[in-house]
Amino acid sequence: MGKVGAPMHAVEAAAAFDRVLRLLDRRPARCGYWLLPGGEGPHAPGGILALLGDDAFASAEVGVLLAPAAQRSGVATAAITALADAVFAATALRRLWTRHAPGHEAAAALMRRTGFTAMRSAPGEPCRWEFGRDDWLARGPVSFAAWPSCCST
């Protein structure tokens, strides 16, 4: 988590958790979580993919946490690409965005591979990236017709 951002204070963490519970409770849900493969051992998860939509579901934050065994395996690239395909093909969502700690070059490389564009951020603030519906449409044919097998729903 040190490469994601600064630790949250307990009050901030509780508020974030409450927000996730509210998003999960909405119908349709405004967020989703998927286990990614690639951990050590045949049944160990390699990580988590998350989608957290805003209240209007006009934009959503994408997050990936990977176990060391799953890093540099391509699973995050495939999962984010599939998520973008599924979300933009099936919803009215206009934009995906993400953030990571400054200097986290692996996360920056992942964002570039998946077509995200760097946004402006102040020095010391998290690096932010975005990928819009128009970017997705310009990319051409959908990469996956359905969720890839690497993402269990």
Side-chain angles (χ1 to χ4, degrees), residues 6 8 29 44 59 85 91:
M8 291 182 177
S59 72
D85 288 342
T91 73

Side-chain angles (χ1 to χ4, degrees), residues 10-72:
V11 172
E12 293 172 308
F17 187 72
D18 286 343
R19 179 174 179 263
V20 168
L21 292 177
R22 282 193 312 277
L23 290 170
L24 282 168
D25 199 35
R26 293 188 65 178
R27 294 294 173 250
R30 296 289 195 257
C31 62
Y33 298 88
W34 298 268
L35 289 177
L36 302 176
E40 293 184 20
H43 303 293
I48 299 170
L49 173 68
L51 178 75
L52 298 167
D54 63 15
D55 286 337
F57 207 54
S59 72
E61 182 177 11
V62 174
V64 176
L65 290 174
L66 293 177
Q71 295 171 6
R72 292 175 293 284

Side-chain angles (χ1 to χ4, degrees), residues 19 23 26 29-32 50-62 83 87-88 91-98 116 119 128-133:
R19 179 174 179 263
L23 290 170
R26 293 188 65 178
R30 296 289 195 257
C31 62
L51 178 75
L52 298 167
D54 63 15
D55 286 337
F57 207 54
S59 72
E61 182 177 11
V62 174
L83 179 68
V87 165
F88 288 131
T91 73
L93 197 84
R94 301 295 312 157
R95 181 176 74 101
L96 297 174
W97 63 276
T98 191
F116 281 67
M119 301 167 62
R128 296 182 182 273
W129 300 77
E130 66 181 343
F131 185 72
R133 179 177 290 280

